[in-house]
Amino acid sequence: MSKLITLGEYVIHKQQDFPHATGELSQIFGAIRLASKIVHREINKAGLVDIIGASGSDNVQGEQQQKLDVYANEKFKAAMEARGQICGMASEEEDSFISFNEGHSKGSKYVLLIDPLDGSSNIDVNVSVGTIFSIYRRISPLDGPVQLEDFLQPGNKQVAAGYVIFGSSTMLVYTTGNGVHGFTFDPSIGVFYLSHENMRTPEDGKIYSINEGNYIKFPQGVKQYLKYCQEMDPETNRPYTSRYIGSLVSDFHRNMIKGGIYMYPSYANAPNGKLRLLYECNPLAWIAEQSGGKATDGRRRILDIEPTELHQRVPYYVGSKNMVEKAEEFLRKCPDLNGAS
Ligand code: P6P
């Protein structure tokens, strides 16, 4: 029987997990909770009202924004600005960071990085999507303007990270460095209940997630690893199963629960892969590590990569520790000529 405790109560109860926080981080979680409930409502009625379809505007990546991308971004922005604990926000949907550093937000000490609705191209086909967020303490002087340096911090400096998965049920999963905890949304009363305390990623698994449509472009090491996954070997549970939803949060969440590896390698026309370091790879990498998993770019620990640009991309290998390490072994054995991993 899981404890009947809501996310809000749990965050307050675990206040000691938020180092040096004087209730501000729990207020930030309140904003994330509220915006997530609003996005949940819109996603669940998206098929009923004319909210689906491209909004016509493109985001910084040149990807056509779905209306719900824009909607979700606006809701998280509004919720954060209203509370005054966040002095700035960087989003996949915004070219540069947004400063809230005036009025009641002036001098607040946290910044938020977010992908408000990852995998949104799946919305039209009714497949799960997700929000991914990351929170840092700002490093620029509290009495000055928010700076780009506040956002370009390595993942090992995060104070909180999490995701919301809008799937068969809506769940919020987070870490503040003391384990990973999952909460399931009950829309009938509008609360997130603690449902998965201290989540653990199995050390091993038999699921691999990768877009094999790009096979011809993959580095040799990835091709060798896929061959390894597909060989017959009952000893090591092979051949593995291929599962690729096209929604990072969904593949990540399933692999965390069942064991598995998600890979988005780099290749010739995507020299740094596709996924963004700051608001996709870092938050999920911290959650992976906090639950016993691993996350690298094929060589380096994701959380130690020093960012240079807000929207920079990195190759991504994340999930069960032994699977990530096996993939890295193949990458080392077959270093790609153009350094892709
Ligand atoms: P591809 C969605 O656009 C996303 O960022 C992830 O959620 C997903 O895993 C990946 O890209 C899918 O990319 O190139 O395989 O379609």
Side-chain angles (χ1 to χ4, degrees):
M1 168 77 175
S2 72
K3 304 171 194 166
L4 196 56
I5 184 169
T6 66
L7 172 58
E9 292 162 333
Y10 193 81
V11 166
I12 289 169
H13 171 66
K14 292 277 187 176
Q15 194 60 58
Q16 74 275 5
D17 290 349
F18 296 145
H20 324 301
T22 52
E24 286 148 305
L25 262 176
S26 40
Q27 290 223 42
I28 294 169
F29 269 80
I32 291 169
R33 251 188 359 256
L34 175 62
S36 301
K37 293 177 187 177
I38 296 171
V39 172
H40 163 91
R41 181 198 58 202
E42 291 308 306
I43 285 176
N44 282 276
K45 73 180 188 186
L48 305 174
V49 295
D50 178 30
I51 198 166
I52 285 186
S55 66
S57 59
D58 285 353
N59 64 15
V60 62
Q61 320 298 337
E63 291 160 352
Q64 202 168 50
Q65 285 181 319
Q66 298 292 325
K67 278 183 182 172
L68 273 175
D69 265 352
V70 178
Y71 182 89
N73 193 51
E74 292 311 310
K75 293 307 165 197
F76 279 99
K77 205 187 313 183
M80 289 300 151
E81 191 161 19
R83 272 160 191 71
Q85 278 75 33
I86 289 277
C87 60
M89 171 176 148
S91 165
E92 185 198 37
E93 307 302 338
E94 304 281 351
D95 292 1
S96 58
F97 67 85
I98 302 160
S99 169
F100 298 143
N101 202 28
E102 52 272 331
H104 64 270
S105 299
K106 189 146 187 62
S108 46
K109 62 185 180 199
Y110 295 104
V111 294
L112 172 84
L113 293 102
I114 189 166
D115 183 353
L117 210 57
D118 176 73
S120 57
S121 54
N122 289 305
I123 292 167
D124 290 0
V125 294
N126 214 355
V127 166
S128 307
V129 291
T131 296
I132 312 170
F133 63 90
S134 177
I135 299 168
Y136 290 84
R137 195 171 293 101
R138 70 181 289 191
I139 50 180
S140 59
L142 287 185
D143 58 358
V146 187
Q147 306 281 355
L148 181 58
E149 65 177 359
D150 293 315
F151 300 91
L152 297 185
Q153 300 184 56
N156 56 39
K157 300 284 189 210
Q158 293 174 95
V159 294
Y163 62 86
V164 186
I165 177 168
F166 303 99
S168 47
S169 66
T170 290
M171 273 190 72
L172 187 149
V173 176
Y174 83 85
T175 186
T176 56
N178 292 279
V180 174
H181 312 294
F183 299 78
T184 301
F185 185 52
D186 176 346
S188 66
I189 54 172
V191 296
F192 283 94
Y193 280 124
L194 176 66
S195 54
H196 299 69
E197 191 169 23
N198 292 315
M199 297 177 80
R200 301 299 295 163
T201 298
E203 254 197 350
D204 242 319
K206 60 173 296 179
I207 296 172
Y208 67 92
S209 307
I210 190 169
N211 184 342
E212 292 189 76
N214 296 321
Y215 180 85
I216 192 80
K217 300 183 260 185
F218 288 154
Q220 198 52 36
V222 171
K223 290 180 178 176
Q224 293 299 321
Y225 177 62
L226 291 177
K227 184 170 175 298
Y228 168 84
C229 293
Q230 293 154 2
E231 282 167 350
M232 180 62 75
D233 176 10
E235 282 274 299
T236 53
N237 258 329
R238 288 179 288 147
Y240 293 157
T241 299
S242 170
R243 286 282 183 278
Y244 191 69
I245 299 172
S247 173
L248 168 61
V249 170
S250 308
D251 282 315
F252 178 87
H253 185 74
R254 182 206 54 247
N255 290 346
M256 182 160 73
I257 291 175
K258 294 193 162 185
I261 182 172
Y262 172 98
M263 297 173 276
Y264 209 104
S266 55
Y267 40 80
N269 51 351
N272 295 309
K274 173 181 185 182
L275 302 181
R276 290 85 170 179
L277 172 61
L278 291 179
Y279 41 77
E280 290 176 341
C281 299
N282 269 336
L284 297 185
W286 198 22
I287 287 179
E289 290 195 3
Q290 279 289 309
S291 61
K294 188 164 184 176
T296 78
D297 69 351
R299 292 188 304 273
R300 299 172 294 172
R301 180 183 181 231
I302 288 289
L303 295 180
D304 292 340
I305 296 176
E306 287 291 341
T308 53
E309 289 163 33
L310 211 46
H311 300 289
Q312 80 182 72
R313 302 172 193 265
V314 287
Y316 203 42
Y317 300 80
V318 64
S320 295
K321 188 168 175 295
N322 294 348
M323 297 184 83
V324 173
E325 289 175 352
K326 178 58 83 174
E328 288 182 304
E329 198 183 296
F330 281 98
L331 286 165
R332 277 194 300 276
K333 273 193 269 187
C334 322
D336 188 80
L337 297 181
N338 66 18
S341 62

